[in-house]
């Protein structure tokens, strides 16, 4: 089945530790995205990548980093510099080339204490 | 950045009733998308709209791209308990330059359906 996978579903970390969230897609999509969702809020864009080896900051990139070494993979690292890391993180992908429909993974809930 | 105003924030309805929600903006949009999110899951794309005035259905769901290109609505007919969830609108702003793939999201409408 084609789709987007995120792992793990739940992640717990101590404050001060970096943590990496996984996102993989087998849809052959060029573009990938990371969003953060807080209770009662819409989705806020962290980083996005339109093509392999290239990525841009979204609206709330501070305290996060990404890489795009492979088309299928777009991992997100939440660093210790992120002041409020506890949130629901969503990865998405789109075909690119002017196709705006984004398809989402199941999400990872990160809790930092 | 661009803003989408989505309303209502929440709705409580009886099973079988019809539902309507909408999104408005001061900006002109090229694309409108409607998503549904179940608790603890990722949003699922319901309907995509690409032309002003376009009216598209997906089962009991109908969405329209406003003529002014600044709004869109989603209707759900004959609601059932599994319609419960958060519905998000999203759009791609016209002339957003190099950020062509970025979407702007509304804050969502929480729908509760009483059986």
């Amino acid at each position: 089945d084609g789709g987007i996978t995120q792992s793990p579903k739940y992640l717990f970390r101590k404050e001060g530790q970096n943590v990496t969230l996984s996102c993989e897609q087998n849809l052959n999509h060029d573009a990938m995205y990371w969003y953060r969702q807080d209770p009662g809020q819409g989705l806020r864009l962290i980083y996005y990548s339109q093509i392999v080896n290239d990525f841009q900051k979204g609206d709330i990139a501070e305290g996060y980093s990404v890489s795009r070494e492979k088309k299928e993979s777009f991992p997100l690292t939440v660093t210790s510099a992120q002041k409020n890391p506890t949130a629901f993180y969503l990865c998405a992908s789109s075909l690119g080339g002017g196709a705006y429909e984004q398809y989402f993974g199941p999400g990872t809930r990160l809790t930092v204490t | 950045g661009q803003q989408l105003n989505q309303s209502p924030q929440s709705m409580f309805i009886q099973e079988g009733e019809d539902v309507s929600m909408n999104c408005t903006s001061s900006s002109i949009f090229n694309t409108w998308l409607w998503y549904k999110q179940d608790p603890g899951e990722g949003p699922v794309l319901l309907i995509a709209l690409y032309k002003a005035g376009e009216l598209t259905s997906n089962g009991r769901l109908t969405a329209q791209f406003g003529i002014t290109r600044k709004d869109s609505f989603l209707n759900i007919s004959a609601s059932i308990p599994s319609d419960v969830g958060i519905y998000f609108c999203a759009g791609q702003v016209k002339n957003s330059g190099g950020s062509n793939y970025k979407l702007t999201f509304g804050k969502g409408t929480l729908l509760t359906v009483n059986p």
Side-chain angles (χ1 to χ4, degrees), chain B residues 20-47:
Chain B
S20 184
M21 59 193 78
N22 69 83
C23 277
T24 61
S25 176
S26 57
S27 301
I28 293 174
F29 281 75
N30 281 332
T31 301
W32 284 98
L33 306 173
W34 284 93
Y35 289 87
K36 182 193 177 203
Q37 184 177 28
D38 291 330
E41 299 296 329
V44 174
L45 181 62
L46 299 173
I47 294 177

Side-chain angles (χ1 to χ4, degrees), chain A residues 35-100:
Chain A
Y35 293 90
R36 171 185 172 132
Q37 186 176 32
D38 295 287
Q41 299 294 316
L43 279 64
R44 292 186 290 168
L45 183 64
I46 305 172
Y47 268 98
Y48 64 104
S49 167
Q50 296 184 2
I51 197 166
V52 175
N53 293 322
D54 185 51
F55 50 83
Q56 286 81 41
K57 292 181 179 180
D59 301 319
I60 55 165
E62 186 176 348
Y64 300 98
S65 65
V66 294
S67 62
R68 187 85 187 278
E69 297 175 2
K70 298 188 299 182
K71 187 175 185 177
E72 303 80 16
S73 179
F74 191 40
L76 172 75
T77 296
V78 184
T79 75
S80 57
Q82 168 49 232
K83 291 185 172 59
N84 296 298
T86 294
F88 190 49
Y89 290 88
L90 288 159
C91 178
S93 70
S94 67
L95 191 57
Y100 306 116

Side-chain angles (χ1 to χ4, degrees), chain A residues 2 8 15 17 22 25 56 84 93:
Chain A
E15 196 173 320
Q17 294 179 337
S22 166
Q25 55 98 0
Q56 286 81 41
N84 296 298
S93 70

